[in-house]
Amino acid sequence: PDRVADGLVSVSRIAIEEHAAKGRFSDSSVHDVLMWLSVASIAVPHSTQPNADLELYRQVAGRLATAGYPQQARNLIDLVLLGAESADPIRQRETWFVCADIYSRLHQNHQGLVAVTCGLNTDANVDLESALREADVCTRLLRDTGVPELAVHFHERSGELLHRLQQYDSQAIKHE
């Protein structure tokens, strides 16, 4: 791991967050955000956080999906999946759930459920924070596909995970 790579990932994250904070994307800001995402993607394998780019992909693609750039969001799904082909099982699982999250934001819920299935079929244990993200994605996808009974199950699981992470009080409004 390299401190320079960590710095590049950090600067990329800050630049992406600044663009997102400005509100609406324009064609030039989309270009800028994708450039920063590329910088992070190049640096992350050499950093101390080798999966940090996945969260950036999720953020950027989600933002693109809701800002009127659905094709660019789908293109990011392709890129993130290509990067996971030879990755370790944890990265593969996280990648599938990033894809599921993006599909959810694109309102392509059936594709999202396929991605969830692929993620769950990887041979990887996840930490509590990853399990929380996964449960939240499952909640949204199941709710939006008309299976509220299962969505409630995952929503309750999210609440349990928030308690275990000692984040329930700070996240209660989002969770409710």
Side-chain angles (χ1 to χ4, degrees), residues 19-20 22-25 58-68 105:
H19 276 285
K22 289 179 185 175
R24 294 191 52 86
F25 274 171
R58 188 191 65 73
Q59 288 176 3
V60 170
R63 188 82 169 123
L64 290 171
T66 58
R105 294 172 196 284

Side-chain angles (χ1 to χ4, degrees), residues 2-14 36 39 43 47:
D2 186 327
R3 288 175 40 189
V4 172
D6 286 342
L8 288 171
V9 172
S10 179
V11 166
S12 297
R13 178 180 293 115
I14 291 167
W36 284 111
V39 169
S47 75

Side-chain angles (χ1 to χ4, degrees), residues 113-132:
L113 289 172
V114 169
V116 164
T117 302
C118 293
L120 291 173
N121 280 310
T122 59
D123 188 24
N125 294 321
V126 294
D127 60 24
L128 291 176
E129 289 182 4
S130 295
L132 176 61

Side-chain angles (χ1 to χ4, degrees), residues 66-80:
T66 58
Y69 295 89
Q71 186 57 52
Q72 288 88 336
R74 282 189 291 275
N75 291 346
L76 292 181
I77 290 173
D78 293 341
L79 284 175
V80 76

Side-chain angles (χ1 to χ4, degrees), residues 21-129:
K22 289 179 185 175
R24 294 191 52 86
F25 274 171
S26 65
D27 289 344
S28 65
S29 63
V30 167
H31 177 269
D32 292 346
V33 166
L34 293 175
M35 186 268 311
W36 284 111
L37 183 58
S38 297
V39 169
S41 296
I42 291 166
V44 81
H46 309 286
S47 75
T48 57
Q49 297 177 327
N51 292 335
D53 61 325
L54 294 177
E55 177 60 19
L56 295 176
Y57 272 104
R58 188 191 65 73
Q59 288 176 3
V60 170
R63 188 82 169 123
L64 290 171
T66 58
Y69 295 89
Q71 186 57 52
Q72 288 88 336
R74 282 189 291 275
N75 291 346
L76 292 181
I77 290 173
D78 293 341
L79 284 175
V80 76
L81 284 173
L82 281 172
E85 278 184 34
S86 60
D88 64 88
I90 292 173
R91 183 174 176 92
Q92 287 177 348
R93 182 175 175 132
E94 288 186 20
T95 296
W96 282 114
F97 275 93
V98 165
C99 293
D101 187 288
I102 297 166
Y103 279 128
S104 170
R105 294 172 196 284
L106 288 165
H107 306 287
Q108 295 179 328
N109 299 318
H110 291 95
Q111 292 90 331
L113 289 172
V114 169
V116 164
T117 302
C118 293
L120 291 173
N121 280 310
T122 59
D123 188 24
N125 294 321
V126 294
D127 60 24
L128 291 176
E129 289 182 4

Side-chain angles (χ1 to χ4, degrees), residues 102-176:
I102 297 166
Y103 279 128
S104 170
R105 294 172 196 284
L106 288 165
H107 306 287
Q108 295 179 328
N109 299 318
H110 291 95
Q111 292 90 331
L113 289 172
V114 169
V116 164
T117 302
C118 293
L120 291 173
N121 280 310
T122 59
D123 188 24
N125 294 321
V126 294
D127 60 24
L128 291 176
E129 289 182 4
S130 295
L132 176 61
R133 282 191 301 275
E134 291 177 5
D136 286 342
V137 169
C138 290
T139 300
R140 282 198 325 271
L141 285 167
L142 291 166
R143 177 198 65 209
D144 295 346
T145 52
V147 192
E149 311 81 35
L150 287 175
V152 167
H153 169 75
F154 282 97
H155 181 73
E156 289 169 352
R157 178 75 174 132
S158 293
E160 293 168 12
L161 290 165
L162 284 169
H163 280 293
R164 288 181 62 191
L165 288 164
Q166 298 179 345
Q167 295 177 2
Y168 191 85
D169 291 338
S170 65
Q171 300 292 323
I173 292 174
K174 284 182 176 179
H175 180 68
E176 301 293 318

